[in-house]
């Protein structure tokens, strides 16, 4: 297919000594007598443009006094190789076409508080670091899809509006639905299980919602999750899929996001260590690590953020923790035949203290046991009729997991807070812009 795109800054290397026109925005400007420099931003990179008084008409030259930061311009000029310039090229300007002179831009290179920047998120995303993070997000999502597509998974969208709470109502968003109420989905998993029985291997990918009332660096109220579900798959095979998947995402980003990781000053040597097989330890073994490190941990409870950091510190690669106390896991998790108190769940913790990035496990596939569990959890059995059907008509062992896109992007980008990994974050205290 013929490309419809015009020349961009990222392609300048193909146009050395040629004349190009680049559409973009003024990132910065430096004036010195008979020559001035315009740093042009076009969303693919930065390029220094040089305007010499004797080489342009006077109207163009005088733009040095009026072109403000973020003014929109199309610049025509000759591409020159120049190792001292950002990106390695500069443009000797012939003419500048002005589209709009920007009002005084609120975000300057000086330090701003996070709250101010978040209030200006619609503009902040133009900044170099934010731009780099969101491009890495693009690549993480692309890698997820490429991985599953090339392994014969079928993309199956699950609904966002659901009738009933799957794992308790405490962190569900309730919305009006004609003359009843509905809930925003927390996970597509149960629907994914139906899909796995229809297609064998599926993945759903979409936004999920949780009314997280705690403020942490790892929680959003709206986040994107990719959830594969695989028929004829036990916990071990599930863990193999999970590690291959994460290895693929990381290597895709190392290969395709060099410039972005560089802007973020990410230590790539840490990412280069992400190679399968990843360590697999049981919940019991993880607890022992904590005890050895002097943590006063209550056996049977879930790991908190600090616990996760202490456990993952032991490894260069993500670590998978499997076989959890059944009481703290969801009703649909299959129990371990060797020890009925353990659920066949798995969490994957990212290294460098980034915490949980994946949660998953093997699902209960026996009809009568599942009914028992639904009753134990005091869940309304009637709404699970369709889900129980999956255990009546050709039930098989099956497993799956969910990767939080923003958690993965936070880790790969090496940034502190999850809120920068999504264009417009939603948290307990933020619904705008
Ligand atoms: P945590 O214990 O960190 O709250 P969880 O056990 O609630 O996570 P799961 O229900 O297993 O998480 O969800 C699967 C994945 O979705 C997690 O491993 C994580 O990557 C992501 N995730 C869960 N909750 C959030 C959230 N509030 N914001 C962003 N990502 C999330
Ligand atoms: Mn949670």
């Amino acid at each position: 297919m013929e490309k419809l795109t015009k020349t961009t800054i990222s392609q300048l290397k193909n146009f050395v000594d040629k004349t190009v026109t680049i559409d973009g925005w003024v990132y910065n400007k430096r004036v010195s007598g008979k020559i001035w420099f315009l740093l042009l931003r076009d969303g693919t990179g930065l390029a220094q443009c040089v305007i010499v008084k004797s080489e342009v008409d006077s109207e163009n030259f005088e733009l040095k006094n009026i072109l403000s930061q973020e003014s929109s311009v199309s610049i025509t000029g000759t591409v020159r190789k120049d190792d001292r310039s950002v990106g390695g090229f500069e443009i000797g300007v012939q003419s500048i076409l002005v589209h709009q002179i920007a009002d005084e831009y609120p975000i300057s290179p000086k330090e701003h508080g996070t709250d101010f920047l978040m209030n200006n998120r619609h503009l902040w995303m133009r900044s170099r670091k934010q731009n780099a993070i969101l491009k890495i997000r693009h690549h993480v999502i692309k890698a997820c899809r490429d991985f599953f597509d090339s392994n014969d998974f079928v993309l199956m969208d699950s609904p966002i509006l659901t009738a009933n709470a799957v794992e308790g109502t405490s962190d569900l968003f309730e919305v009006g639905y004609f003359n009843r109420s509905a809930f925003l989905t927390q996970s597509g998993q149960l629907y994914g299980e139906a899909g796995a029985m229809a297609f064998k291997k599926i993945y759903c990918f979409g936004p999920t919602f949780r009314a997280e009332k705690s403020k942490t660096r790892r929680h959003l109220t709206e986040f994107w999750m990719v959830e594969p579900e695989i028929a004829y798959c036990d916990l071990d095979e599930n863990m193999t899929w999970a590690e291959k998947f994460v290895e693929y995402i990381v290597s895709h980003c190392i290969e395709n996001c060099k410039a972005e990781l560089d802007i973020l000053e990410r230590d790539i040597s840490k990412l280069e260590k992400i190679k399968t097989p990843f360590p697999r330890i049981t919940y019991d073994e993880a607890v022992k690590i904590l005890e050895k490190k002097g943590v006063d941990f209550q056996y049977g409870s879930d790991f908190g953020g600090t616990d996760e950091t202490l456990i993952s510190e032991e490894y260069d690669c993500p670590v998978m923790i499997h076989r959890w106390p059944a009481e703290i896991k969801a009703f649909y998790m299959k129990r371990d035949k060797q020890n009925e108190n353990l659920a066949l769940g798995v969490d994957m913790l990212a290294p460098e203290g980034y915490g949980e990035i994946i949660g998953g496990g093997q699902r209960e596939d026996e009809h009568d046991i599942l009914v028992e569990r639904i009753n134990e959890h005091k869940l309304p059995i009637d709404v699970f009729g369709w889900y129980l059907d999956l255990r009546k008509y050709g039930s098989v062992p099956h497993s799956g997991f969910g990767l939080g896109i923003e958690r993965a992007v936070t880790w790969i980008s090496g940034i502190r807070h999850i809120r920068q990994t999504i264009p417009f974050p939603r948290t307990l205290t933020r619904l705008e812009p």
Side-chain angles (χ1 to χ4, degrees):
M1 194 176 75
E2 195 190 334
K3 283 212 170 177
L4 293 175
T5 47
K6 301 189 205 165
T7 309
T8 59
I9 290 172
S10 61
Q11 298 163 350
L12 289 182
K13 60 176 180 300
N14 304 324
F15 293 91
V16 176
D17 298 329
K18 300 230 162 64
T19 299
V20 295
T21 298
I22 309 275
D23 301 331
W25 294 265
V26 177
Y27 200 65
N28 213 334
K29 193 179 67 182
R30 189 160 51 86
V31 182
S32 77
K34 291 189 163 55
I35 184 167
W36 61 283
F37 302 90
L38 184 160
L39 195 56
L40 185 70
R41 170 184 85 71
D42 85 335
T44 75
L46 295 174
Q48 169 155 282
C49 305
V50 188
I51 302 98
V52 181
K53 189 164 188 182
S54 59
E55 292 173 6
V56 293
D57 66 30
S58 66
E59 207 176 302
N60 269 191
F61 191 77
E62 291 313 314
L63 286 173
K64 68 182 169 40
N65 302 319
I66 44 172
L67 272 189
S68 48
Q69 187 185 352
E70 288 303 319
S71 291
S72 39
V73 289
S74 295
I75 293 194
T76 300
T78 313
V79 181
R80 294 190 287 252
K81 206 165 155 32
D82 184 277
D83 292 334
R84 294 159 308 165
S85 284
V86 257
F89 303 94
E90 69 171 26
I91 298 175
V93 175
Q94 292 156 13
S95 65
I96 302 175
L97 174 69
V98 178
H99 301 280
Q100 193 241 337
I101 303 283
D103 285 7
E104 195 184 339
Y105 195 63
I107 302 175
S108 58
K110 70 164 201 260
E111 291 282 311
H112 294 285
T114 310
D115 215 45
F116 173 83
L117 291 169
M118 272 299 170
N119 288 335
N120 286 285
R121 183 65 175 166
H122 52 297
L123 304 176
W124 190 27
M125 57 168 63
R126 302 179 186 191
S127 301
R128 256 186 127 196
K129 281 196 175 167
Q130 297 308 310
N131 208 274
I133 296 166
L134 293 177
K135 266 193 205 158
I136 290 172
R137 178 191 172 93
H138 163 83
H139 275 284
V140 166
I141 292 172
K142 176 170 166 45
C144 290
R145 303 192 50 141
D146 287 351
F147 178 84
F148 290 124
D149 292 350
S150 63
N151 281 293
D152 299 322
F153 283 68
V154 173
L155 174 67
M156 197 204 80
D157 302 313
S158 52
I160 288 170
L161 288 167
T162 58
N164 287 96
V166 174
E167 298 174 47
T169 51
S170 61
D171 53 3
L172 274 180
F173 284 109
E174 192 172 351
V175 295
Y177 194 77
F178 305 109
N179 50 10
R180 60 184 288 198
S181 62
F183 301 96
L184 298 180
T185 185
Q186 292 175 294
S187 154
Q189 180 204 316
L190 302 192
Y191 300 97
E193 288 181 54
M197 300 305 139
F199 300 99
K200 202 171 243 177
K201 292 187 291 193
I202 64 98
Y203 66 106
C204 44
F205 177 51
T208 47
F209 306 86
R210 296 187 191 182
E212 307 278 6
K213 284 168 201 96
S214 58
K215 279 201 221 168
T216 79
R217 290 188 278 130
R218 298 175 183 174
H219 290 90
L220 296 164
T221 54
E222 178 180 299
F223 64 98
W224 288 66
M225 187 148 59
V226 57
E227 297 176 272
E229 190 70 31
I230 310 156
Y232 292 98
C233 176
D234 64 8
L235 178 67
D236 279 338
E237 192 187 328
N238 195 36
M239 289 196 270
T240 303
W241 279 113
E243 65 185 4
K244 291 281 179 212
F245 174 56
V246 169
E247 179 184 55
Y248 181 84
I249 296 170
V250 172
S251 67
H252 175 93
C253 289
I254 293 174
E255 229 169 89
N256 295 281
C257 305
K258 280 200 179 68
E260 289 75 21
L261 293 167
D262 198 44
I263 289 169
L264 298 168
E265 293 168 44
R266 180 66 165 115
D267 181 352
I268 294 180
S269 71
K270 292 240 163 60
L271 297 178
E272 283 166 345
K273 291 195 181 123
I274 310 305
K275 290 280 172 243
T276 58
F278 296 170
R280 301 177 182 192
I281 61 173
T282 61
Y283 172 88
D284 285 26
E285 287 165 331
V287 172
K288 288 211 186 79
I289 292 175
L290 292 178
E291 284 168 352
K292 213 172 63 197
K293 293 193 165 185
V295 180
D296 182 18
F297 183 78
Q298 174 93 41
Y299 184 92
S301 58
D302 202 354
F303 301 124
T306 325
D307 302 323
E308 290 181 351
T309 300
L310 288 169
I311 298 164
S312 65
E313 264 172 14
E314 297 287 290
Y315 309 94
D316 286 339
C317 273
V319 53
M320 292 188 277
I321 305 175
H322 58 92
R323 290 181 168 75
W324 293 71
E327 311 86 72
I328 55 169
K329 289 291 176 186
F331 76 93
Y332 50 71
M333 267 195 202
K334 196 168 178 67
R335 302 289 174 93
D336 188 357
K337 285 266 183 302
Q338 318 297 316
N339 179 351
E340 284 287 321
N341 297 320
L342 298 178
L344 295 177
V346 56
D347 278 7
M348 185 190 287
L349 310 184
E352 301 174 73
Y354 280 95
E356 183 189 325
I357 50 171
I358 280 181
Q362 187 169 340
R363 325 301 188 191
E364 182 52 69
D365 50 274
E366 283 183 47
H367 179 272
D368 294 354
I369 298 179
L370 194 54
V371 170
E372 227 172 89
R373 301 269 181 263
I374 291 171
N375 289 330
E376 274 168 24
H377 279 79
K378 301 198 166 52
L379 295 166
I381 193 93
D382 44 314
V383 307
F384 288 107
W386 69 269
Y387 188 62
L388 287 163
D389 270 358
L390 305 176
R391 278 74 182 165
K392 285 193 209 160
Y393 304 107
S395 189
V396 297
H398 62 288
S399 306
F401 59 86
L403 169 90
I405 293 292
E406 293 77 11
R407 296 262 180 106
V409 177
T410 308
W411 164 47
I412 292 170
S413 304
I415 57 175
R416 220 181 79 82
H417 205 295
I418 196 169
R419 67 187 156 209
Q420 297 181 17
T421 63
I422 186 163
F424 293 98
R426 298 291 177 249
T427 64
L428 182 62
T429 54
R430 184 166 292 283
L431 197 54
E432 286 164 320

